[in-house]
Structure formats: structure tokens, C-alpha cells
Amino acid sequence: MESIYIPHLLKAPRRTVEFQFEEFLPGLETLTPVRGHLRVTYKTTFLDVWGRAEAIVTLTCDRCLKQYNHRLKIDTSEPLWLDASADRSQGGEEVEVAFEDLVETLSPNGHFDPGDWLYQQLCLALPQRQLCEGPCEPPKSSTPDSSESGVDRRWAALEALKQQLSG
Ligand SMILES: [Zn+2]
């Protein structure tokens, strides 16, 4: 996805760039391409970004550790503040540092990367607790075969010891 040079938005009709997309995003593992619609409007002090997107992702269930497919969906808008000092490393005292911590700012002469924005939104939309839609049962403590034979071996050793003591 191509980044948008912010000054170009000023020349766009209604200062808006709008497009549809269907592509895989770098860094985000999805089963299907991310499909959706994005709109960016220049609002003098901020960019009004709106996006709708969906993709299928494969998640691992927190409880049974099985993999399952999940439809990841976003429909969100966010103001991205334009700040001429955003591309300068110096000039900021405490107040400015605090401001940058709270909100994301872009330089009005810089670029907006829609792919990166979508990536962040989709990551935020990932469920905190990932649970499959059953049948979902916690796996038996470790794999059954090895643990049972492990217990058997310990048990056999104990039996042998008992016999030694009693005999
Ligand atoms: Zn499960």
C-alpha cells in the first residue's frame, strides 16, 4: 500500500483521498488478504482517517491450544494530529514530550502510511483472550503417552525400593 504524501491531500477533491484495497500487510499473518476501504481527509490541524477492513487470521486457542480461524474486522476512525515539530528531533521540552506520548502526530510535510495504520488497527482488534468455538478442552497435562510412562517408571522404581526394604 502506497504511503500518502500529506501536502498532496490539499490538492485532492474535498481534500480527501479514498480507496479500496485487497492485499496482504507486511508483518501481519493473515489467511486471506486484508480487504477494505480507507478514507483520509485533510482537516487543517489533523488528518481524519477512517478505515474498514477485514481478514481471516489463524489463532491458537489459549485453552486447548488448537488452531482456529477468526474473522478480524475493523471499522474505525482516528484523528492524526498534524504538528510541524513532529519531524524535528529538537525543540521539545517537557510539555511537548508529554503531548507526543499521548497522541500520535504527523508532520504536515510528511507522509501518512495507510498500510502501517491498518496494521496497528488490526493488531488492536485481535482478541485479548483467544478461545476457539469448541469442542474446547484443556489438553491433558503434557502429552498422555510420555507422562504416563514417566509415572509408570517412577512407580516401578518405588515398588522396587519397597521390595528391597521389606525383603
Ligand atoms: Zn479451544
Side-chain angles (χ1 to χ4, degrees):
M1 212 171 291
E2 279 184 32
S3 65
I4 296 168
Y5 183 50
I6 294 169
H8 279 175
L9 286 167
L10 288 167
K11 294 174 193 151
R14 288 174 292 119
R15 294 183 167 188
T16 297
V17 167
E18 192 165 5
F19 60 93
Q20 298 193 8
F21 53 86
E22 181 168 357
E23 63 185 71
F24 289 99
L25 294 179
L28 187 70
E29 260 188 63
T30 51
L31 210 60
T32 59
V34 179
R35 203 152 49 101
H37 196 141
L38 197 103
R39 189 177 62 218
V40 187
T41 306
Y42 189 99
K43 300 265 197 184
T44 312
T45 53
F46 66 96
L47 293 187
D48 187 16
V49 183
W50 170 82
R52 195 173 60 199
E54 67 173 65
I56 307 284
V57 288
T58 302
L59 302 176
T60 303
C61 177
D62 287 340
R63 190 157 54 193
C64 68
L65 307 180
K66 266 189 298 213
Q67 292 202 322
Y68 67 104
N69 291 338
H70 175 78
R71 184 179 295 272
L72 198 57
K73 267 175 127 170
I74 56 157
D75 185 344
T76 185
S77 63
E78 184 184 28
L80 297 177
W81 298 95
L82 295 172
D83 180 356
S85 66
D87 57 352
R88 278 184 228 144
S89 54
Q90 60 160 20
E93 305 307 332
E94 289 156 53
V95 178
E96 197 169 335
V97 171
F99 180 71
E100 281 174 11
D101 280 346
L102 289 172
V103 292
E104 198 170 345
T105 56
L106 291 171
S107 162
N109 300 312
H111 288 79
F112 168 65
D113 184 346
D116 187 51
W117 185 80
L118 282 167
Y119 170 82
Q120 288 178 32
Q121 301 302 319
L122 287 163
C123 285
L124 288 172
L126 281 169
Q128 290 285 313
R129 191 153 161 70
Q130 303 179 354
L131 292 174
C132 71
E133 293 176 1
C136 179
E137 285 187 23
K140 298 190 180 93
S141 56
S142 135
T143 51
D145 288 347
S146 66
S147 74
E148 270 168 31
S149 62
V151 168
D152 283 349
R153 237 181 290 122
R154 283 194 298 262
W155 192 246
L158 190 66
E159 280 296 303
L161 187 68
K162 264 198 209 158
Q163 276 173 12
Q164 275 180 17
L165 291 172
S166 65

